[in-house]
Amino acid sequence: MNKIANDFSSENIGSIFIYTNEAHPGESYPHLTSMKQKNTHAKALRDVLGVNRPILLDALDGACHRYFGSMPNMTWIFNRSGVPVYKSDWTDANSVRNSLEYLLDVVKRRKTGVRLAPFTVERLDYRESDRVAFYQRLAENGPKAVEEFRKAFGEN
Amino acid sequence: MIYWLEMGINGCEDVEITKFFGGIINKGMMDVYNYDEFVPEKFERWMRFDISPSLGKKSENFTLWNLEEQPTSLEETLNQSLFTVVEFGSFT
């Protein structure tokens, strides 16, 4: 997602990361109880995991996150007026890139005088699912996070 | 912004925290939303993409804070670019 931010910034595409609740709290990164702690975790997201897009903190009760469906790692695309034009319940760079290319093409077509009317489409997209990498990431949160995930999904 | 650094759960009112970055936070919601363990009865209630807002309709505005502890808003952020990609998530 960092690469997408870089690749499209020259096209006047902004990218931000909104920090939510902790999806898999563990010993190293426990559940949030204060904004100070949320700020610290968000800085770790930047410094340890390398998210270099602007990170903004949602309120501690997740007002913004909950409004948009409170999925743990979803992505939305908005136009300048604050109207959502894409939403995905999971974040996938290929899906986002595909959507941005389509949206930029819409802008180009409109500039040539083509009259376009919006409509809604649903599509099932596919993301890579690397279980080994996922568990390695989960382990960084602490053993508790790993154990709880295994229990929740019955994995050994 | 003094309360930014001081505000935690300790010392909060039972029902609401007021003057929290200029807003009102429901402590009960805050506790439930920031669940302390990944068990279905605590996390499944938040998987509500099915009732998320429809595309094509202007969204509500929300106050957000940058890492320098300064408030901004979703609307103000979105207004800066032709389109804005917004990823939601956390370290964990």
Side-chain angles (χ1 to χ4, degrees):
Chain A
M1 291 297 286
N2 284 342
K3 186 172 189 319
I4 285 184
N6 294 335
D7 290 350
F8 286 89
S9 62
S10 62
E11 304 275 4
N12 197 14
I13 304 295
S15 293
I16 63 168
F17 191 105
I18 295 182
Y19 205 93
T20 65
N21 54 351
E22 295 299 339
H24 303 283
E27 292 85 345
S28 303
Y29 295 91
H31 70 287
L32 300 172
T33 58
S34 72
M35 286 299 278
K36 181 181 179 184
Q37 180 196 14
K38 193 166 192 169
N39 189 299
T40 301
H41 286 202
K43 285 177 176 170
L45 181 77
R46 178 192 64 190
D47 300 337
V48 178
L49 298 185
V51 171
N52 60 18
R53 290 157 277 154
I55 300 174
L56 298 174
L57 308 185
D58 190 8
L60 203 52
D61 67 354
C64 180
H65 186 214
R66 288 186 288 110
Y67 174 80
F68 288 107
S70 55
M71 296 297 288
N73 187 209
M74 59 182 176
T75 290
W76 292 63
I77 301 174
F78 297 84
N79 68 16
R80 193 192 294 278
S81 302
V83 174
V85 294
Y86 165 95
K87 62 177 184 179
S88 173
D89 62 2
W90 288 102
T91 293
D92 177 72
N94 288 325
S95 177
V96 172
R97 180 180 295 277
N98 179 272
S99 189
L100 287 174
E101 287 170 348
Y102 179 85
L103 290 167
L104 289 172
D105 187 58
V106 167
V107 173
K108 280 184 189 170
R109 290 156 69 196
R110 281 195 162 140
K111 281 182 178 172
T112 64
V114 177
R115 185 169 178 174
L116 300 172
F119 66 99
T120 304
V121 58
E122 286 192 45
R123 190 178 73 181
L124 199 61
D125 279 7
Y126 294 85
R127 63 190 174 93
E128 291 181 17
S129 180
D130 185 339
R131 220 53 172 171
V132 174
F134 173 76
Y135 271 107
Q136 286 174 346
R137 259 296 295 123
L138 205 56
E140 294 182 54
N141 308 341
K144 172 179 175 292
V146 177
E147 183 183 347
E148 288 174 354
F149 186 86
R150 288 192 196 282
K151 278 185 183 174
F153 293 98
E155 296 186 4
N156 296 319
Chain B
M1 288 297 156
I2 294 171
Y3 37 83
W4 166 279
L5 295 174
E6 295 177 345
M7 185 59 75
I9 282 184
N10 293 336
C12 294
E13 297 294 330
D14 289 340
V15 179
E16 291 180 338
I17 303 167
T18 57
K19 295 182 180 177
F20 188 91
F21 300 101
I24 297 175
I25 302 292
N26 182 296
K27 184 180 181 304
M29 176 62 75
M30 186 177 84
D31 290 346
V32 177
Y33 173 69
N34 294 290
Y35 54 84
D36 59 353
E37 54 184 348
F38 186 77
V39 292
E41 55 268 33
K42 292 188 178 182
F43 74 79
E44 282 183 342
R45 73 183 73 187
W46 303 114
M47 313 283 274
R48 297 312 311 270
F49 198 69
D50 57 319
I51 57 167
S52 64
S54 301
L55 300 180
K57 295 176 183 174
K58 186 174 171 61
S59 296
E60 285 186 20
N61 191 23
F62 295 92
T63 302
L64 303 167
W65 291 266
N66 64 27
L67 297 187
E68 288 70 48
E69 307 171 6
Q70 298 302 309
T72 182
S73 74
L74 180 62
E75 187 175 282
E76 184 182 335
T77 303
L78 301 180
N79 194 40
Q80 294 172 12
S81 304
L82 179 62
F83 294 103
T84 303
V85 178
V86 180
E87 181 178 2
F88 292 80
S90 66
F91 187 97
T92 63

